[in-house]
Amino acid sequence: MQDEFFMRRAIELAEKGRFAVRPNPLVGCVLVRDGEIIAEGWHDHLGGLHAEQMAIADAEARGVETQGSIAYVTLEPCNHFGRTPPCSEALMWAGVKKVIIGIADPNPTVRGGGVDALSKEGIEVEIGLLEEECYAQMSAFMHWCEHRTPHVLLKAATDNNGRIDGDPGKPAVRFSTKKALEMVHEIRRDSMAIIVGVNTVIRDDPKLTVRGIKSSADIIPKRVVIDPNNRIPIDCQLMTTPDAETYLINAKKYDTTKDKAHVNRIVLPTENGNIDVKKILHCLGDLEVQTLLVEGGLETWKRFLEQKLVDSAHLCISNIELDAQNEDYFYKSHLEEAGLVLKEEITLGNDIITKWERN
Ligand code: AOF
Ligand code: ZN
């Protein structure tokens, strides 16, 4: 029970690095002696100390002896020289007698190495304490290590008939509550990239930035447009505002002399005029994008859903009626057919937000 208490504290500490460490995982560590926490650490920002090293430095700074202590760490200590020297060595050097680990590190560059290196030095190692909680906290990193593609979240908003668009040039759906709009920006902030089809850019000229909520300049999501035939208007917000990197997925090389510095182009092959979304996911995975938000429109949602590439979805149904001339509809059944299951339903004023997960 005591062990769980200490690991829970390590998980709590890891949370302090949320958004600032990606694409690295959230990791926390406590050093314990005689049943008491003597030092704490967490991975605080990309390129910063790893959790174990911060905990050791914390002890040193306060003149606390680490010899003979037990380390509780949410992720297997690394055993490689990356942005920082190996944590396995730091733990040995600190004289830790035992290391209790939440979950093994599936990153191919460090896999298994940490546990082996510690065991070889005669340090006792236990693995798997509160593994599920540790996994959940690092799920984006874990998913990416396993598949080398991002976790895909689809976000759609409709009126109460399932219509998705009203007047062009205005936001697709005017949510009836401020909280619902804030949720949209929260899921943008939680994503490392946001993808739309070029038709959405032509129609709505979105900025695809995080606004109106607490955020950080370090975590600006990339903006990605599927645009095989280079139809993007040169004067649209994505092309003219350098607020975030913009990536255009094209089917061939185009003249880029008019592109601003924040615009990047990626050329991918087409099949029947379409770029395979699976290839886009691989490409984004190579750019270390671990979480992708699919914002629309209908064509783009369908392409991801048809290939069963959507891992979770948020569908907001607002109690309003959009322009009756519009014929684009999106229903819960689209999600069900793609293997998604309803997990949660939240009512915010006149908006109903449903949350879906892959079964
Ligand atoms: C640890 N403790 O606190 C973290 C670990 O780029 P680097 O050098 O920071 O290394 C990143 C990799 O190290 C990351 O992909 C993951 O495998 C592991 N993260 N390991 O021992 C930590 N954040
Ligand atoms: Zn490390």
Side-chain angles (χ1 to χ4, degrees):
M1 262 359 251
Q2 265 232 316
D3 281 347
E4 288 193 2
F5 172 82
F6 294 129
M7 189 59 88
R8 285 230 153 77
R9 177 64 187 151
I11 293 172
E12 197 174 276
L13 291 166
E15 204 53 43
K16 291 175 185 260
R18 169 110 17 218
F19 309 126
V21 300
R22 62 196 201 189
N24 276 355
L26 293 167
V27 184
C29 175
V30 295
L31 298 180
V32 173
R33 211 189 20 239
D34 301 328
E36 295 211 3
I37 294 180
I38 57 165
E40 297 186 330
W42 62 92
H43 190 33
D44 181 67
H45 58 275
L46 195 62
L49 290 180
H50 281 187
E52 302 87 319
Q53 306 203 26
M54 193 205 253
I56 294 166
D58 172 37
E60 262 179 12
R62 290 180 295 106
V64 172
E65 182 57 69
T66 52
Q67 200 72 29
S69 62
I70 302 175
Y72 292 78
V73 50
T74 58
L75 181 71
E76 176 183 8
C78 68
N79 190 36
H80 75 308
F81 284 89
R83 293 179 179 96
T84 63
C87 289
S88 51
E89 279 181 25
L91 290 166
M92 290 170 203
W93 175 83
V96 164
K97 69 169 182 193
K98 183 171 178 180
V99 179
I100 301 182
I101 297 166
I103 190 165
D105 189 346
N107 189 343
T109 55
V110 297
R111 185 182 292 159
V115 168
D116 291 350
L118 292 165
S119 307
K120 252 186 219 144
E121 284 300 306
I123 296 172
E124 203 183 323
V125 181
E126 265 177 41
I127 191 152
L129 180 63
L130 298 186
E131 186 168 4
E132 265 180 42
E133 282 94 325
C134 294
Y135 181 95
Q137 191 177 44
M138 305 174 206
S139 61
F141 169 79
M142 291 289 169
H143 183 283
W144 178 77
C145 282
E146 196 182 329
H147 304 283
R148 292 282 147 172
T149 55
H151 171 276
V152 176
L153 169 66
L154 180 150
K155 186 219 83 188
T158 73
D159 76 358
N160 60 14
N161 300 315
R163 276 203 180 89
I164 60 168
D165 285 321
D167 303 334
K170 291 187 187 161
V173 167
R174 285 149 292 272
F175 296 101
S176 52
T177 64
K178 188 165 166 271
K179 186 72 202 129
L181 191 61
E182 276 174 10
M183 268 181 71
V184 172
H185 284 276
E186 275 163 14
I187 56 176
R188 278 190 181 169
R189 178 191 59 193
D190 296 350
S191 307
M192 290 175 68
I194 304 165
I195 196 164
V196 292
V198 70
N199 286 333
T200 296
V201 181
I202 293 168
R203 230 193 94 85
D204 296 337
D205 191 16
K207 206 165 175 198
L208 302 182
T209 51
V210 180
R211 299 184 298 276
I213 55 162
K214 206 168 150 253
S215 182
S216 146
D218 303 331
I219 58 146
I220 299 170
K222 296 181 189 342
R223 308 179 288 194
V224 187
V225 185
I226 308 176
D227 185 15
N229 302 309
N230 198 28
R231 293 197 293 124
I232 194 160
I234 196 81
D235 57 349
C236 72
Q237 300 209 71
L238 298 182
M239 295 297 272
T240 55
T241 60
D243 306 46
E245 292 283 304
T246 295
Y247 288 78
L248 304 181
I249 314 282
N250 295 153
K252 57 179 180 186
K253 274 196 189 318
Y254 292 101
D255 177 16
T256 57
T257 44
K258 285 196 189 133
D259 288 355
K260 296 227 158 87
H262 71 281
V263 177
N264 308 274
R265 295 192 183 242
I266 295 169
V267 178
L268 292 179
T270 52
E271 281 155 36
N272 310 322
N274 287 326
I275 295 172
D276 182 4
V277 281
K278 233 183 235 153
K279 288 207 172 76
I280 297 175
L281 289 185
H282 283 132
C283 190
L284 294 174
D286 290 345
L287 292 170
E288 292 195 272
V289 171
Q290 295 174 352
T291 45
L292 176 68
L293 175 61
V294 183
E295 282 223 8
L298 186 59
E299 252 339 280
T300 305
W301 292 329
K302 281 187 178 167
R303 301 262 301 286
F304 278 90
L305 286 167
E306 272 159 15
Q307 293 212 50
K308 309 232 178 334
L309 294 172
V310 176
D311 299 301
S312 54
H314 287 200
L315 172 61
C316 177
I317 303 166
S318 288
N319 191 16
I320 53 170
E321 300 233 349
L322 290 170
D323 183 0
Q325 288 160 16
N326 188 295
E327 292 304 329
D328 280 345
Y329 294 90
F330 188 82
Y331 302 115
K332 289 178 179 176
S333 56
H334 287 104
L335 299 174
E336 286 159 355
E337 281 158 19
L340 292 151
V341 177
L342 180 63
K343 291 284 171 181
E344 203 184 337
E345 195 166 303
I346 307 167
T347 305
L348 293 172
N350 289 328
D351 302 322
I352 296 172
I353 291 150
T354 56
K355 298 188 177 181
W356 303 70
E357 293 286 337
R358 174 157 299 288
N359 217 359

